[in-house]
C-alpha cells in the first residue's frame, strides 16, 4: 500500500450506511464465527493471528469484547503487549512475540504487537532509522515464517480514529467512573505526537504489507466491529475445513 495518507481516509462508515441492519448482520456473523471457530479447533490444521493496532482509545479493547467473546474461550487467546519488561528488553524484539504466536487450532489476538517496535519506539527516537528498516524486514520475514511454517493466517487491522474522536474518548476516561481505570495522563502527551504516529503507521502500511493491512474506520464502534468480524468470517470460510471424524487406531 504505497502512498497511503491516513488524513485522506475517512474514520467513519460510508454515508447512508444502515446502522440497524449492520448491527443485525453482526449478530448473524458472530453466530457463524462461533461455528467456524469450533471447526478450526476440532480440525487443528490452521492457526489464526489477529493483530489490532491503533492509537490510544481507538477501541482495541472493544473489539476483543464485542467480536471475540462470542466464541469458545478454549480456542481463543488474547495477549496485550505493554512496555517490554527488563527480561523482554534483554532479548531481540520478536522474542516475546514469537512465544505467544498461535498454535494450530487457535485464534490468537494481539492487542498491540510487534508493530509497536517500529511505532512508539520510532516516534520517540529510541531507535535510529536504519534500525527501523531492519526491523521492518525482520517483521516481514517473521510473518512469512508463521504463514509458511505453521499454516497461520494473519489479519492486521489498524483502527482508524480521528484526533477529535480520540480527545473525546480520553476526556470520557476522566469523567466516566466505568472508564476511569483506563485513564493515563501520558495519553494526552502521546496525542500531541499524532502526526508523527500517522507517518510511522503509513510506513508500516507501505513496507510491511506482504500480509496486507486493513484500515478500519473506527469512530463508530458498530461499524468497526462489523468490518473486523466480516473479515474474520471470510478468512475462516476460505479455509475449507472439515471435521476430522473418528480418530483412527
Ligand atoms: P488504550 O488503547 O485503551 O489506551 P493501551 O493499549 O494503550 O490501551 P495501556 O496498558 O494503556 O494499553 O498501554 C500499553 C502501552 O505499552 C502503550 O503505550 C504502548 O505504546 C506500550 N508498548 C507496547 N509495546 C511496546 C514496545 N514494544 N515498546 C514500547 N512500548 C510499548
Ligand atoms: Mg493507552
Amino acid at each position: 500500500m504505497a502512498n497511503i495518507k491516513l488524513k485522506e481516509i475517512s474514520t467513519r462508515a460510508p454515508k447512508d450506511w444502515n446502522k440497524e441492519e449492520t448491527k443485525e448482520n453482526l449478530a448473524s456473523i458472530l453466530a457463524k464465527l462461533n461455528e467456524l471457530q469450533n471447526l478450526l479447533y476440532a480440525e487443528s490444521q490452521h492457526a489464526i493471528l489477529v493483530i489490532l493496532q491503533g492509537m490510544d482509545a481507538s477501541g482495541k479493547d472493544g473489539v476483543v469484547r464485542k467480536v471475540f467473546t462470542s466464541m469458545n474461550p478454549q480456542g481463543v487467546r488474547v495477549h496485550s503487549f505493554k512496555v517490554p519488561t527488563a527480561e523482554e528488553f534483554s532479548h531481540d524484539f520478536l522474542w516475546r512475540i514469537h512465544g505467544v504466536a498461535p498454535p494450530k487450532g487457535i485464534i490468537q489476538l494481539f492487542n498491540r504487537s510487534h508493530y509497536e517496535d517500529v511505532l512508539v519506539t520510532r516516534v520517540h527516537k529510541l531507535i535510529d532509522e536504519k534500525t527501523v528498516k531492519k526491523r521492518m524486514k525482520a517483521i516481514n520475514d517473521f510473518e512469512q515464517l508463521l504463514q509458511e511454517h505453521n499454516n497461520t493466517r494473519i489479519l492486521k487491522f489498524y483502527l482508524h480514529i480521528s484526533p477529535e474522536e480520540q480527545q473525546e474518548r480520553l476526556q470520557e476516561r476522566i469523567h466516566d467512573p466505568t472508564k476511569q481505570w483506563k485513564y493515563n495522563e501520558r495519553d494526552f502527551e502521546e496525542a500531541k505526537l499524532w502526526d508523527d504516529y500517522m507517518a510511522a503507521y503509513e510506513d508500516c502500511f507501505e513496507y510491511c504489507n506482504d500480509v496486507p493491512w486493513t484500515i478500519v474506520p473506527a469512530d463508530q464502534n458498530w461499524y468497526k466491529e462489523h468490518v473486523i468480524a466480516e473479515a474474520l468470517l471470510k478468512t475462516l470460510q476460505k479455509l475449507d475445513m472439515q471435521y476430522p471424524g473418528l480418530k483412527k487406531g
Side-chain angles (χ1 to χ4, degrees), residues 5 42-44 55 70 78 90 102 128 143 149 160 163 199 222 230:
K5 288 274 163 274
E43 197 198 44
S44 285
M55 298 294 282
S70 63
V78 185
S90 70
D128 61 24
E143 292 180 354
H149 296 279
H160 185 36
W222 57 270
E230 196 172 45

Side-chain angles (χ1 to χ4, degrees), residues 55-57 60 112 170 173 182 184 187:
M55 298 294 282
D56 287 311
K60 301 181 293 297
R112 299 190 187 268
L170 291 180
R173 290 182 177 185
K182 286 195 183 189
N184 179 349
D187 289 353

Side-chain angles (χ1 to χ4, degrees), residues 56-57 60 81-84 96 112 116-117 120 173 187:
D56 287 311
K60 301 181 293 297
F81 289 95
K82 310 286 182 185
V83 177
R96 68 172 183 163
R112 299 190 187 268
E116 291 298 318
D117 294 284
V120 61
R173 290 182 177 185
D187 289 353

Side-chain angles (χ1 to χ4, degrees), residues 151-187:
N151 235 355
T152 309
R153 291 287 186 286
I154 306 174
L155 293 97
K156 305 194 291 200
F157 297 104
Y158 169 68
L159 306 191
H160 185 36
I161 54 166
S162 66
E164 295 77 23
E165 179 67 26
Q166 187 202 36
Q167 282 304 316
E168 228 167 86
R169 293 183 187 182
L170 291 180
Q171 289 297 333
E172 255 173 45
R173 290 182 177 185
I174 299 178
H175 303 294
D176 181 342
T178 67
K179 295 188 176 160
Q180 282 168 343
W181 63 277
K182 286 195 183 189
Y183 174 75
N184 179 349
E185 60 182 4
R186 277 199 39 88
D187 289 353

